[in-house]
Amino acid sequence: MNPLKQIIASYDSNAPLDRAWTIPAPWYTDKGLYQLELQTVFSQSWQFVCRLDQVERAGQYVTADVAGEPLVIVRGHDDVLRGFFNVCRHHAAAVMTEPEGTASQLRCPYHGWTYSLAGELKGTPDFAGVCDFERSQNGLFPIETAAWEKWVFVQTGKNGGPSPSHNRTTDAALNDFLGSGLIAQIQPLHLETLQWFERRHYSFDCNWKVFVDNYLDGGYHVPHLHKGLDSVLDYSNYKIENGKRFCLQWSSIVTEDAEAETGAVRKGERALYYWLYPNFMINWYEGAMDTNLVIPRSVDKTEVIFDFYFADVSETARERNRASVAVGQRIQDEDTDICKSVQRGLTSRAYQAGRLSVRREAGEHLFHRLLAADLSAGL
């Protein structure tokens, strides 16, 4: 059997939670499986790429990387939001080189080829005399692009050639991927009342799935690693609810005996933790939210991008918001070492796979089964 097929076949995705094992260690360490994930899991799923407020006006653009592909997202003069591979059709240089900005056109710095904000090829300096060259067929290659709530998502695995890519069908495709259940749950949270405050980047010495597993363990590790967070969560009544492609973990907020630093910035009745397959998280508290984007950088390196949002981002609220971000920073610092420890253990001959807690790890079980389905389909 093909070694990659053998690795994937070593996991039984049909086992119910009370009989299930985790995905085996090679799923976290094998470079061939990692490449297959980029081609399937990340290329075929809808991926968060930027905030909607970054591209709300004509000419605003953001560059990004999804599954190793360079992308540019731009708002057109016609107010349509579009995404393209950020690759010049001449000699493959990046057309837009800044992380974000505003432009009236998209111009490659290499040879000056110019594209409209709709991706159409407009300018080709010193290109007269080239035979059988169709300008209309050499625009930027589009990617499916759509918005939901405060975020822009793309799907890189499907593109239809050099033409505009955003339409009602694309919006429907994103909504179908998210699912009506998730959309209905998020809508009452009124995320439009929250404003972006700050972005932070974190590096983890582990496979991206180690970070996701850690997030989805139903609070299992919280009393042991996150004493501050544990002091405001009702661990014994912590709930896990799975949807088709998402998991909600939630807990009541408790104030009695709360650790002072955490209790001061984690308030309200409930804490809601949403995971969207495969790598996006929404952590919601009353008046505050942060999102996590988990980006695979190699088989054993992961970047996690945090965006912090608050109901009040005025100068008078800055100190309180900073304190909230600091609590988030502390939690990530606590997770960094354990994720590194897990990755190291996954390479040991003493470990192959582990059992799952029926009480706590239903979300992890869902993640592994969705992953197995995508990888099997991509073979």
Side-chain angles (χ1 to χ4, degrees), residues 190-237:
H190 296 292
L191 302 188
E192 70 277 3
T193 63
L194 301 175
Q195 301 178 67
W196 180 79
F197 178 73
E198 182 177 314
R199 168 169 284 195
R200 293 198 176 188
H201 298 254
Y202 300 93
S203 296
F204 289 82
D205 292 328
C206 65
N207 184 274
W208 70 277
K209 296 186 293 296
V210 170
F211 185 93
V212 177
D213 286 346
N214 181 69
Y215 185 90
L216 288 174
D217 75 358
Y220 208 166
H221 71 287
V222 170
H224 311 286
L225 287 181
H226 306 313
K227 300 297 186 183
L229 182 60
D230 182 53
S231 74
V232 300
L233 298 181
D234 185 0
Y235 179 75
S236 62
N237 292 306

Side-chain angles (χ1 to χ4, degrees), residues 1-243:
M1 182 185 290
N2 177 290
L4 198 52
K5 288 185 177 180
Q6 192 170 8
I7 291 173
I8 294 172
S10 65
Y11 172 69
D12 181 6
S13 61
N14 294 316
L17 178 57
D18 60 352
R19 296 184 179 277
W21 293 73
T22 64
I23 49 177
W27 285 54
Y28 301 88
T29 61
D30 186 82
K31 292 181 180 179
L33 187 135
Y34 171 77
Q35 290 300 320
L36 183 61
E37 287 176 337
L38 297 183
Q39 297 163 19
T40 56
V41 176
F42 286 92
S43 294
Q44 300 299 326
S45 63
W46 284 90
Q47 290 286 302
F48 164 72
V49 69
C50 68
R51 303 187 314 276
L52 190 56
D53 66 84
Q54 292 177 282
V55 286
E56 63 184 356
R57 298 187 304 276
Q60 283 190 298
Y61 71 88
V62 172
T63 59
D65 178 290
V66 172
E69 292 284 2
L71 310 177
V72 58
I73 313 302
V74 62
R75 177 76 65 176
H77 293 301
D78 56 2
D79 200 41
V80 173
L81 186 64
R82 297 179 176 89
F84 304 96
F85 288 97
N86 189 20
V87 178
C88 184
R89 297 296 302 282
H90 183 221
H91 285 326
V95 177
M96 307 304 286
T97 56
E98 295 297 323
E100 61 183 299
T102 302
S104 60
Q105 58 186 4
L106 308 178
R107 185 177 185 275
C108 178
Y110 193 10
H111 297 109
W113 279 37
T114 305
Y115 305 85
S116 75
L117 299 184
E120 305 155 310
L121 179 60
K122 293 296 187 181
T124 54
D126 297 320
F127 222 61
V130 177
C131 297
D132 301 322
F133 177 73
E134 294 290 339
R135 187 185 297 264
S136 64
Q137 298 302 308
N138 281 273
L140 295 176
F141 271 92
I143 52 175
E144 292 197 58
T145 307
W148 173 59
E149 292 287 350
K150 303 182 78 68
W151 308 292
V152 178
F153 291 81
V154 298
Q155 188 178 43
T156 63
K158 298 178 181 178
N159 68 84
S163 61
S165 59
H166 183 98
N167 52 46
R168 293 179 184 272
T169 303
T170 304
D171 286 336
L174 173 58
N175 290 343
D176 182 65
F177 182 83
L178 296 170
S180 59
L182 175 64
I183 292 172
Q185 287 188 34
I186 294 295
Q187 191 172 19
L189 300 181
H190 296 292
L191 302 188
E192 70 277 3
T193 63
L194 301 175
Q195 301 178 67
W196 180 79
F197 178 73
E198 182 177 314
R199 168 169 284 195
R200 293 198 176 188
H201 298 254
Y202 300 93
S203 296
F204 289 82
D205 292 328
C206 65
N207 184 274
W208 70 277
K209 296 186 293 296
V210 170
F211 185 93
V212 177
D213 286 346
N214 181 69
Y215 185 90
L216 288 174
D217 75 358
Y220 208 166
H221 71 287
V222 170
H224 311 286
L225 287 181
H226 306 313
K227 300 297 186 183
L229 182 60
D230 182 53
S231 74
V232 300
L233 298 181
D234 185 0
Y235 179 75
S236 62
N237 292 306
Y238 198 97
K239 306 296 184 184
I240 301 98
E241 301 173 11
N242 283 342

Side-chain angles (χ1 to χ4, degrees), residues 262-278:
T262 305
V265 295
R266 297 292 186 262
K267 296 180 177 296
E269 293 184 1
R270 296 181 300 163
L272 306 178
Y273 304 112
Y274 282 95
W275 165 77
L276 286 61
Y277 178 77

Side-chain angles (χ1 to χ4, degrees), residues 292-352:
N292 317 152
L293 177 66
V294 184
I295 305 174
R297 293 303 184 192
S298 71
V299 71
D300 58 2
K301 301 289 182 183
T302 297
E303 179 182 6
V304 183
I305 298 176
F306 274 61
D307 281 314
F308 295 90
Y309 301 78
F310 297 98
D312 183 0
V313 294
S314 66
E315 193 60 37
T316 57
R318 179 169 293 274
E319 184 176 348
R320 183 175 68 250
N321 293 344
R322 290 285 185 196
S324 181
V325 172
V327 167
Q329 175 76 51
R330 188 175 72 183
I331 292 170
Q332 295 317 300
D333 291 342
E334 291 164 349
D335 277 333
T336 298
D337 288 342
I338 200 65
C339 287
K340 182 177 181 179
S341 174
V342 169
Q343 186 68 31
R344 184 170 60 246
L346 288 165
T347 66
S348 171
R349 62 185 179 184
Y351 184 87
Q352 179 62 21

